[in-house]
Amino acid sequence: MSFIRNSRNTPVTILAQGDVSFVGGSLILVANNNIPGPGGFYGGGANRPGFGPGGGISPGAAGRWVGPLNLVPLIGGSGGAGNGSTQGGGGGGAIVIASSTAITMVSSFINAQGDNNSVGGAGSGGAIRLVANSIIVSQGSSFSACGPGGVSTCGVVRLEATNLTFA
């Protein structure tokens, strides 16, 4: 399932009063060119800085994720700076999934990557937050909240649970 930005560019919020299960699927909140994922920030225009609190400043500089590690408020990745006539990459989106009971992931993937722009700066990864009494992440499940620029462009993945299991 892919999420696209709404008119206010808010992060994706999923609230459940029971179990949440992801089986063999993916949630996609990635940036596309200079357009950010939901809750992320735009890449800069030609020779312009990227948007967001960690937007790339100098031409071709990558964006970086800047925000509180508890992900409150929830924000996505910052955009990379444009370079020459090329736009910078947009920042990855942001999602929170909260359940009153349990979240289970089986062979599933949550992706909040920033956009790679081969000439302009890359957008940073976004933010993924799961909150429940119990979180089970089975083998074959994964998260990605990095931009294409390596560790310096990673966002944040936060799992909050009394019982956290990685199978």
Side-chain angles (χ1 to χ4, degrees):
M1 174 181 299
S2 293
F3 293 95
I4 58 172
R5 296 174 349 94
N6 62 24
S7 62
R8 294 185 47 204
N9 193 27
T10 57
V12 175
T13 301
I14 299 173
L15 305 175
Q17 286 189 301
D19 292 354
V20 175
S21 297
F22 299 106
V23 180
S26 57
L27 297 176
I28 308 297
L29 304 115
V30 298
N32 184 10
N33 295 317
N34 80 319
I35 308 297
F41 296 89
Y42 281 93
N47 280 326
R48 302 261 185 217
F51 292 86
I57 297 173
S58 59
R64 59 189 180 89
W65 188 88
V66 175
L69 293 179
N70 66 0
L71 299 182
V72 177
L74 184 66
I75 62 169
S78 296
N83 191 16
S85 61
T86 305
Q87 299 175 329
I95 186 169
V96 61
I97 302 169
S99 166
S100 62
T101 55
I103 297 172
T104 303
M105 292 181 64
V106 178
S107 298
S108 298
F109 180 51
I110 301 177
N111 186 355
Q113 291 178 314
D115 185 68
N116 181 18
N117 194 315
S118 60
V119 178
S124 76
I128 300 168
R129 181 179 180 213
L130 303 184
V131 182
N133 291 325
S134 174
I135 297 175
I136 300 168
V137 181
S138 73
Q139 188 172 9
S141 294
S142 61
F143 306 94
S144 179
C146 286
V151 174
S152 66
T153 60
C154 284
V156 175
V157 175
R158 182 179 175 96
L159 307 178
E160 300 176 39
T162 304
N163 299 307
L164 181 59
T165 304
F166 289 93

